[in-house]
């Protein structure tokens, strides 16, 4: 099983239905998310959440996925920059408040089976801002395939 990640700074302010960043499975390969990191880049507090997405509508530009092992095959799952419109959100899996300080953050880790994204079109997760005003954040999502 190979490990991959996407990392960067969000290009949009998230809302409860609009992801700052997302990761979607391919039609034949899913993901086992191992870790998600989110850090505030502003001096305004905000809430962040990991939400399931049930359709890959209004996704932003594709991101460049990185392999932890340079000899591993390229990833099948795809990361997307900030969504251009509201998405089809499902369950909220995690939620946290980030303090009003640059660098305030949260790290969610998933051992054992990981946070599983099943194979299939439109199945994914995204980082949203479930309450109040979202902000621009730094993020890293790490997964295995």
């Amino acid at each position: 099983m190979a490990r991959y990640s996407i990392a960067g700074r969000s290009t949009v302010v998230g809302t409860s239905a609009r992801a700052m960043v997302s990761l979607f499975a391919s039609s034949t390969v899913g993901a086992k998310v191992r870790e998600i990191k989110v850090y505030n880049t502003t001096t305004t507090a905000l809430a962040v959440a990991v939400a399931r997405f049930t359709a890959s509508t209004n996704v932003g530009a594709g991101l460049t996925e990185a392999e932890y092992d340079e000899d591993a095959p390229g990833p099948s799952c795809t990361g997307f920059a900030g969504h251009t419109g509201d998405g089809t959100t499902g369950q909220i899996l995690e939620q946290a408040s980030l303090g009003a300080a640059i660098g305030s953050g949260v790290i969610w880790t998933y051992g054992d089976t990981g946070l599983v994204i099943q194979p299939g079109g439109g199945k994914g997760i995204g980082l949203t801002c479930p309450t109040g005003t979202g902000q621009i954040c730094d993020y890293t999502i790490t997964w295995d395939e």
Side-chain angles (χ1 to χ4, degrees), residues 81-136:
H83 287 204
T84 59
D86 290 349
T88 308
T89 57
Q91 303 164 309
I92 299 293
L93 302 169
E94 304 274 8
Q95 184 169 324
S97 295
L98 302 186
I102 295 170
S104 173
V106 62
I107 301 172
W108 290 298
T109 58
Y110 307 97
D112 298 329
T113 60
L115 190 165
V116 177
I117 304 172
Q118 295 294 334
K123 295 183 179 180
I125 60 161
L127 294 176
T128 63
C129 296
T131 61
T133 303
Q135 302 295 327
I136 298 297

Side-chain angles (χ1 to χ4, degrees), residues 5-140:
S5 70
I6 50 175
R9 180 164 285 179
S10 61
T11 57
V12 300
V13 172
T15 67
S16 61
R18 188 169 299 183
M20 294 183 282
V21 62
S22 59
L23 177 69
F24 282 89
S26 75
S27 61
T28 58
V29 177
K32 292 184 178 188
V33 177
R34 296 300 180 183
E35 184 175 76
I36 299 173
K37 300 175 186 175
V38 188
Y39 298 98
N40 194 351
T41 64
T42 72
T43 56
T44 302
L46 72 145
V48 294
V50 177
R52 284 212 187 270
F53 277 77
T54 57
S56 56
T57 56
N58 296 316
V59 297
L63 295 171
T64 301
E65 300 82 14
E67 297 96 350
Y68 273 47
D69 178 349
E70 291 177 333
D71 292 330
S76 295
C77 297
T78 306
F80 293 97
H83 287 204
T84 59
D86 290 349
T88 308
T89 57
Q91 303 164 309
I92 299 293
L93 302 169
E94 304 274 8
Q95 184 169 324
S97 295
L98 302 186
I102 295 170
S104 173
V106 62
I107 301 172
W108 290 298
T109 58
Y110 307 97
D112 298 329
T113 60
L115 190 165
V116 177
I117 304 172
Q118 295 294 334
K123 295 183 179 180
I125 60 161
L127 294 176
T128 63
C129 296
T131 61
T133 303
Q135 302 295 327
I136 298 297
C137 292
D138 289 334
Y139 61 83
T140 303

